[in-house]
Amino acid sequence: MTGFDSFAMVDWSSGNDTGPRPRKDAIWACVVRKGEAEEPMYLRNRGIAELWLRNLIETEIAASRRLFLGFDFPFGYPKGFARALTGSDDPLKLWDWFERRTEDSPKANNRFDLAGEINRHFGGKGPFWFNGLQRDIDGLPKNKSDYQNPFPERRAVELMPEAKGSFSCWQMGGAGAVGGQVMMGLPVLARLRHAFAGQISVWPFEALDTPVAFVEIWPSLTLGAAPDGRIKDAWQVEQVAQSLARMQVEELAQHLNVNAAEEGWILGVSQSKPNIAPPPLRNDCFALPAGVNWTPVDDALALLRERLTVVATPERVALSQAAGRILTEDVLANRSNPPQPNTAVDGYGFAGAAQEGAQVMPLYPGRAAAGMPFDGTVPDGHAVRVLTGAALPDGVDTVILEEDVTVQDNHIAFHGPLKQGANTRRAGEDVAEGNLVLPAGRRLTPADLALLSATGIAEIHVRKTLRVAVLSTGDELVEPGETAGPGQIFDANRPMLLSLIDRMGFQPVDLGRVPDDRAALRDRLNNASKQADVILTSGGASAGDEDHVSALLREAGAMQEWRIALKPGRPLALGLWNGTPVFGLPGNPVAAMVCTLIFARPALGLMAGEGWQEPQAFDLPAAFEKRKKAGRREYLRARVRDGRAEVFASEGSGRISGLSWAEGLVEIEDGARHIKPGDMVRFIPYGSFGL
């Protein structure tokens, strides 16, 4: 984890404006920059505090300083509450839920009425309690005498020994209560997240890889009484900010290394990892480690492999419908192949080996043909007519090829020697009954169908074909055949990507084009998440004014921008939309295709259930010269002629003709390289990606 430059701690309050003179039980904050502490700030109400926080964040970002910002109230509620109100386990959606419903001014707020409204949704007797107003509020108990809580009373962190003395978020008022602070604090944090979209990460729900981190810290759990003459809240925020600033990067990273995807955690409270189940795939599944800027290709691939899971669901289908499908379980042979010993040639069968020299045997009446077995037993010393594929008659274990035999007077004659078992196939010599035929994760080929059929398999368990939606974005795009106006171009990405998806064995879903209109794009993504398992977009994935894909993913709290050290290519936008993974590809067709082959192809295979597939590459002599600086991995459009790898004449990423000219890619490693003709280079044919 990269360290922070500035640390700030805020002691929050749910009360009204506390007046012009500094006092206790108010909002206090302290900032430490580069180890130097400022005087604690007295913030008389939440409006002033929110403005102060905005200014602080703007100042630190403008100065390129990473800001660690602590708050002393819970960032999440006990398990189940977020889903009950929002339909999602995502605590950040709950933040937005409160922000839309909370009313706040220096002299009044609606926290008690909102608590009552929520309680009425659950029967009117909980989970919140304590009414601090002089009037009754329907659904909000004044005390716990007639109280029922449909959710856990405390978060997991509040049950830890180090959190002894912590208060429940359900208590809306009274000494030490934090319920009001949560309800009046989360809307402020939600607004700040949206105001600085993509620049604030919330611990522990998101990876701390942005300029600003929001972290839950409770000073009262670790600090005692303030020195005489000091206001406790002011002294505590100063002590916490200074303590954080003095921590080594490794020590702070260890404290931050917790799993609490729904309820949140309190910094400084230890977590017993073996007893914590790993969180499910969430909006931060694509998050890079904190502080990462440019990510090497191999690291990016490793992160995708580690964090993605199978999403294609299983089903049982007839063998005739299984071509190209992926097995969900190992397949065992129902029957041996061959099912019984049989002859490999047309000829004559008998028992035992034939010695060297001329051999003469009487011919036994009858014959054995495929599907028409011989009825009876061939006597020792006799031969019988057999045809290819016929089950060996009883008394026969060796076959002489008919071209080597003379037949006359009901006898056969041939020259030995001939080994016992010659020209025959053993029962089960290919696959024995009960043995493994094909492993789980295998994508079925025509040859696989033949093998499965031969071993008696009529139906198999496979995964449904992964549905991959493809969407092009941008006002500049028009459909081929339409009239292109000034500044407009034909959509080259969508037909390319749809064909790539189909050739790779997935089900393409054409979402068409959408203009640079955020509302229209939101609707299209909503539809895509219902129709597909994965979404590929091209264009709009950077950080410009019209890059609406990345903007919407940021609004959803599901955006990660991977600055991958490769050429051609720009940052790869990754995220989730309504739980559906989204790959935001560059708008340039060359970069879009390279990113699809290198990153999306193995990721799609993993999500489809066939596992992570490494493309097969070949070392070949170069037919070109190339100088490359260290720092980025490069992929050149290439083809093979006369056993040597040629590359396209121009490396320009706008030269789409190079994609058509090429038959694969030459991959040049991350370090510096001067390639001369004849030097070995790594060539990856398009066929290695399933094309």
Side-chain angles (χ1 to χ4, degrees):
M1 184 191 81
T2 302
F4 292 86
D5 305 294
S6 306
F7 295 83
M9 181 66 211
V10 180
D11 184 287
W12 202 249
S13 172
S14 61
N16 295 333
D17 187 288
T18 49
R21 299 184 62 181
R23 49 162 286 184
K24 65 178 183 178
D25 298 325
I27 300 176
W28 284 90
C30 183
V31 179
V32 176
R33 290 189 180 91
K34 297 294 185 179
E36 295 293 324
E38 298 181 355
E39 284 291 322
M41 289 289 300
Y42 168 69
L43 306 167
R44 58 186 290 181
N45 61 56
R46 285 177 296 281
I48 292 174
E50 184 172 350
L51 180 60
W52 181 85
L53 287 166
R54 283 177 179 264
N55 290 335
L56 172 65
I57 294 170
E58 287 176 353
T59 299
E60 300 310 289
I61 291 177
S64 298
R65 291 190 292 260
R66 293 198 74 213
L67 173 62
F68 184 106
L69 189 47
F71 296 88
D72 71 333
F73 57 86
F75 284 4
Y77 282 82
K79 186 176 179 63
F81 183 65
R83 175 168 290 277
L85 285 192
T86 70
S88 169
D89 295 326
D90 186 351
L92 297 178
K93 292 187 182 298
L94 187 61
W95 288 25
D96 293 336
W97 190 94
F98 277 118
E99 197 279 328
R100 292 191 297 269
R101 291 164 176 79
T102 301
E103 300 170 5
D104 196 9
S105 70
K107 295 297 184 181
N109 62 72
N110 70 335
R111 69 182 189 272
F112 296 110
D113 293 289
L114 184 56
E117 178 183 337
I118 295 171
N119 281 1
R120 291 194 297 274
H121 182 74
F122 299 110
K125 295 185 178 181
F128 295 102
W129 66 277
F130 190 99
N131 179 2
L133 303 181
Q134 298 299 315
R135 56 181 172 84
D136 290 337
I137 296 177
D138 183 21
L140 183 62
K142 289 188 175 182
N143 52 54
K144 299 186 73 172
S145 60
D146 187 24
Y147 171 77
Q148 295 177 7
N149 192 347
F151 306 101
E153 192 65 23
R154 292 180 179 274
R155 300 182 295 164
V157 65
E158 291 154 6
L159 301 176
M160 304 297 288
E162 297 99 318
K164 184 178 181 180
S166 61
F167 278 74
S168 167
C169 57
W170 307 122
Q171 184 178 340
M172 293 298 296
V178 298
Q181 290 180 316
V182 180
M183 198 173 287
M184 305 313 297
L186 294 185
V188 173
L189 301 192
R191 285 192 291 273
L192 292 173
R193 282 188 71 242
H194 293 300
F196 297 94
Q199 296 179 297
I200 295 175
S201 300
V202 181
W203 178 83
F205 311 135
E206 299 174 307
L208 303 186
D209 56 359
T210 55
V212 181
F214 285 176
V215 179
E216 179 183 340
I217 310 173
W218 291 24
S220 59
L221 297 182
T222 57
L223 298 175
D228 291 341
R230 295 291 304 273
I231 295 176
K232 181 181 179 181
D233 297 335
W235 176 76
Q236 286 187 338
V237 295
E238 180 184 70
Q239 294 301 303
V240 170
Q242 289 179 333
S243 297
L244 290 168
R246 287 193 293 265
M247 277 190 187
Q248 296 295 318
V249 173
E250 295 77 13
E251 180 184 5
L252 181 56
Q254 186 175 358
H255 283 297
L256 291 168
N257 184 23
V258 302
N259 295 321
E262 179 178 348
E263 295 184 337
W265 202 260
I266 303 170
L267 188 74
V269 176
S270 61
Q271 187 178 67
S272 177
K273 290 299 183 62
N275 295 324
I276 303 296
L281 183 69
R282 281 187 33 80
N283 288 352
D284 61 355
C285 69
F286 294 114
L288 294 173
V292 167
N293 291 317
W294 287 95
T295 306
V297 170
D298 289 338
D299 291 355
L301 291 172
L303 286 167
L304 286 172
R305 185 172 187 174
E306 171 191 341
R307 297 179 183 187
L308 292 173
T309 58
V310 179
V311 298
T313 55
E315 64 176 345
R316 187 176 179 89
V317 300
L319 190 62
S320 60
Q321 300 173 335
R325 304 293 286 277
I326 298 168
L327 292 173
T328 62
E329 57 187 37
D330 293 346
V331 179
L332 306 182
N334 286 341
R335 188 187 193 199
S336 295
N337 183 49
Q340 61 273 319
N342 66 80
T343 175
V345 297
D346 290 342
Y348 297 88
F350 49 86
Q355 301 301 315
E356 187 172 357
Q359 307 290 324
V360 178
M361 290 183 184
L363 192 59
Y364 197 73
R367 72 170 192 169
M372 300 178 66
F374 180 83
D375 185 15
T377 301
V378 178
D380 189 38
H382 287 67
V384 70
R385 176 66 167 157
V386 293
L387 302 180
T388 302
L392 292 181
D394 290 342
V396 171
D397 58 20
T398 304
V399 174
I400 179 71
L401 196 68
E402 69 173 57
E403 290 85 348
D404 297 332
V405 173
T406 299
V407 182
Q408 186 177 328
D409 298 332
N410 216 31
H411 283 72
I412 65 170
F414 61 92
H415 287 282
L418 193 66
K419 293 181 180 180
Q420 185 177 18
N423 299 313
T424 65
R425 306 184 186 103
R426 300 186 310 276
E429 71 173 21
D430 183 18
V431 180
E433 181 179 349
N435 283 2
L436 177 69
V437 180
L438 294 171
R442 169 114 177 158
R443 185 183 289 275
L444 295 174
T445 67
D448 293 335
L449 300 187
L451 178 58
L452 291 168
S453 182
T455 52
I457 308 298
E459 293 185 336
I460 51 175
H461 290 94
V462 296
R463 294 199 179 275
K464 293 183 178 179
T465 303
L466 189 77
R467 300 166 301 169
V468 183
V470 175
L471 172 66
S472 291
T473 69
D475 289 335
E476 75 279 12
L477 299 178
V478 295
E479 201 74 12
E482 297 178 353
T483 301
Q488 290 188 312
I489 58 175
F490 296 116
D491 184 4
N493 279 346
R494 204 169 89 255
M496 175 183 71
L497 293 173
L498 288 168
S499 179
L500 284 174
I501 296 307
D502 183 55
R503 293 282 294 273
M504 291 173 182
F506 310 115
Q507 179 183 338
V509 179
D510 187 358
L511 294 179
R513 294 176 291 109
V514 67
D516 289 321
D517 181 291
R518 198 161 298 185
L521 177 58
R522 182 184 289 107
D523 290 342
R524 199 71 61 90
L525 289 174
N526 286 338
N527 290 333
S529 66
K530 299 173 184 176
Q531 300 178 51
D533 303 302
V534 188
I535 303 171
L536 298 186
T537 69
S538 62
S542 188
D545 293 343
E546 299 299 334
D547 289 315
H548 298 295
V549 173
S550 53
L552 283 175
L553 290 175
R554 286 191 183 96
E555 286 181 12
M559 168 69 180
Q560 293 294 333
E561 187 176 77
W562 285 14
R563 300 173 182 87
I564 302 173
L566 88 159
K567 178 184 177 182
R570 301 189 307 172
L572 185 65
L574 300 160
L576 296 180
W577 187 266
N578 294 335
T580 302
V582 178
F583 283 73
L585 301 170
N588 183 293
V590 176
M593 182 165 176
V594 170
C595 285
T596 299
L597 297 181
I598 302 303
F599 299 107
R601 174 60 184 95
L604 293 174
L606 191 153
M607 290 185 280
E610 66 178 334
W612 188 270
Q613 303 294 312
E614 299 281 354
Q616 176 66 55
F618 304 91
D619 290 333
L620 297 173
F624 61 93
E625 183 171 2
K626 159 81 174 175
R627 290 182 183 270
K628 174 189 172 296
K629 296 179 181 179
R632 289 198 294 177
R633 185 169 303 182
E634 294 192 17
Y635 292 92
L636 308 179
R637 285 150 282 177
R639 66 185 185 185
V640 177
R641 292 293 182 271
D642 298 324
R644 290 157 43 105
E646 302 177 350
V647 297
F648 191 56
S650 171
E651 294 183 21
S653 57
R655 299 284 294 273
I656 303 176
S657 59
L659 293 175
S660 177
W661 173 91
E663 297 166 351
L665 302 172
V666 160
E667 180 184 64
I668 306 178
E669 60 271 28
D670 301 350
R673 182 94 187 266
H674 181 194
I675 300 171
K676 299 178 181 178
D679 289 348
M680 301 303 287
V681 293
R682 189 169 189 258
F683 176 73
I684 311 174
Y686 285 153
S688 291
F689 300 102
L691 305 182

